[in-house]
Amino acid sequence: MSIAQTIHGSWASRWVFIFAATGSAVGLGNIWKFPYIVGLHGGGAFVLLYLGCILTVGVPLMMAEVLIGRRARLSPVNAVAALARESGRNERWQIAGGMGVLAGVLIFSFYSVVAGWVLEYVLASSRGELIDIGHVQASERFNSLLADPRTMFGWHSLFVLVVMSILAAGVVQGLERATRLIMPALFALLVVLLGYSATSGYFGQAWNFLFSFETRQLSWEGALAALGHAFFTLSLGMGAIMVYGSYMPKNASISGAVLTVAALDTVVALVASLIIYPIVFSTGVDPAVGPGLMFITLPVAFDHMPGGQVIGLLFFGLVALAAITSAISLMEPAVAFLVEHLEIGRIQSCALLGAAVWLLGTVALGSFNVLSGIELFDRNIYNLLDYVTANILLPLGGILVALFVGWQVKRSALRSELAISNSVLFKVWYLLIRFVAPVAIGVVFLQNLKA
Ligand code: PHE
């Protein structure tokens, strides 16, 4: 069957979409951020809130985003406008797409800084610098990296260059090829590492930490963080999944693909935690150490396991690869937008955007050292970027998409694009996207603004 092309290109099959979207979803959010925010928010209670958010808000919204993209086959800003036109609605809803382009650029700027730390650890493990490292030295090592703007700048620059080059190569030659190479390797390594941690003495303790809780641990703050993270980890609220949906073959089932992506993403986050927490408990580290968790505990663990040096190198290498596949999806909405609006080529668009995020990321990395004194709203620049995107822009983008799809787009268009033959399932989704998602996001969001 012939597939309508976008000007940007199309994925070869439904599976390429699934892998590309999983590549977008699985990233630093799963392997680095999820384990440490679980620690900060007390464990099992947070995991439960998070799973609830994924199921009731994340999955329905992801379906909505893919649906918009695939129906219009345009970059998010134009896709929303095209669907509004089709349903006879106001084209201004395209602001939902516009905010996403901005959010992607802002997230990229600090994502690249953390990816840079990962690259530094790839080099350090390949040189054997993490051998015989104790917990104290591991902390010192991480802190001295944060205090060194030059090294961080070098890695951040390299990461921007790599990601922008893949983007410049195009949807099929760049994005699809990177996905096909990286994803299988990532899954294989997670299985190996899980095997190691399952046989360590602290697996049971880690399991309890993640899956049991007391009701008094549930909090608004935890709920907001869980919702913000559900958006972040599924790459929602900013057009990444929407733009990937616009390259999806017309005959593929949206609901099946989305459920697969969400399930894979959740499994990776839980597995990453089951890999990291036994190590955390065996070294006696406080689970609430924050962002340094992966960089401090894992090197110590690798040092204690047979063949640990090689595994450590592979682990950080693959985290870097996971970060790359996510980062390309952060920028793709902006790249497609520039190509459609400025009518400049993909390569020029990538060069322009690359320069912008490179500059912004350079400022963000200063938050850990030379610019640490600069604070806005009680936050340094890095934390501000993280907070504004995860807690404000992504939820807001999500509400707009839910309201747009739930209340503006014609029901007949939704039915034909989703092609869910079971009408009960369609009704459940429609209910979630019209009422549950906007209300849940709205309540948690407002509660946070009050706090
Ligand atoms: N989902 C990615 C992660 O978990 C981050 C991301 C957010 C990517 C938004 C694209 C869009 O690391």
Side-chain angles (χ1 to χ4, degrees), residues 330-389:
L330 279 166
M331 296 306 292
E332 179 62 21
V335 173
F337 175 78
L338 286 195
V339 171
E340 285 171 16
H341 280 262
L342 297 187
E343 294 181 5
I344 54 176
R346 232 185 128 85
I347 297 181
Q348 289 87 328
S349 304
C350 290
L352 256 172
L353 284 164
V357 290
W358 177 69
L359 276 176
L360 199 59
T362 303
V363 177
L365 70 83
S367 311
F368 294 94
N369 35 68
V370 280
L371 302 178
S372 61
I374 299 183
E375 292 204 342
L376 286 165
F377 307 105
D378 281 342
R379 291 187 162 81
N380 66 30
I381 299 163
Y382 173 94
N383 288 333
L384 190 70
L385 284 169
D386 183 2
Y387 183 83
V388 167
T389 51

Side-chain angles (χ1 to χ4, degrees), residues 80-110:
V80 176
L83 252 73
R85 256 196 317 276
E86 185 195 33
S87 293
R89 303 290 185 170
N90 194 323
E91 283 183 31
R92 292 225 190 99
W93 279 95
Q94 63 180 225
I95 181 82
M99 265 174 37
V101 170
L102 176 72
V105 169
L106 296 181
I107 295 176
F108 187 98
S109 328
F110 68 87

Side-chain angles (χ1 to χ4, degrees), residues 21-34 103-104 107-108 111 229-241 265 322-323 325-331 333 394:
T22 305
S24 163
V26 170
L28 297 171
N30 304 63
I31 308 175
W32 162 74
K33 198 171 182 188
F34 181 75
I107 295 176
F108 187 98
Y111 207 80
H229 188 68
F231 275 93
F232 186 80
T233 191
L234 292 180
S235 307
L236 296 176
M238 53 129 311
I241 293 296
D265 184 75
T325 53
S326 294
I328 51 185
S329 76
L330 279 166
M331 296 306 292
L394 299 187

Side-chain angles (χ1 to χ4, degrees), residues 3 24 57 59 80 99 126 169 171 176 209 214 230 248-249 254 257 266-267 277 301 311 321 325 339 351 399 428 435:
I3 295 163
S24 163
V57 181
V59 167
V80 176
M99 265 174 37
S126 75
V171 173
E176 179 165 333
F209 180 68
E214 290 167 28
M248 184 181 184
I254 292 181
T266 305
V267 167
Y277 274 107
I311 300 266
L321 295 175
T325 53
V339 171
I399 286 199
V428 171
F435 300 102

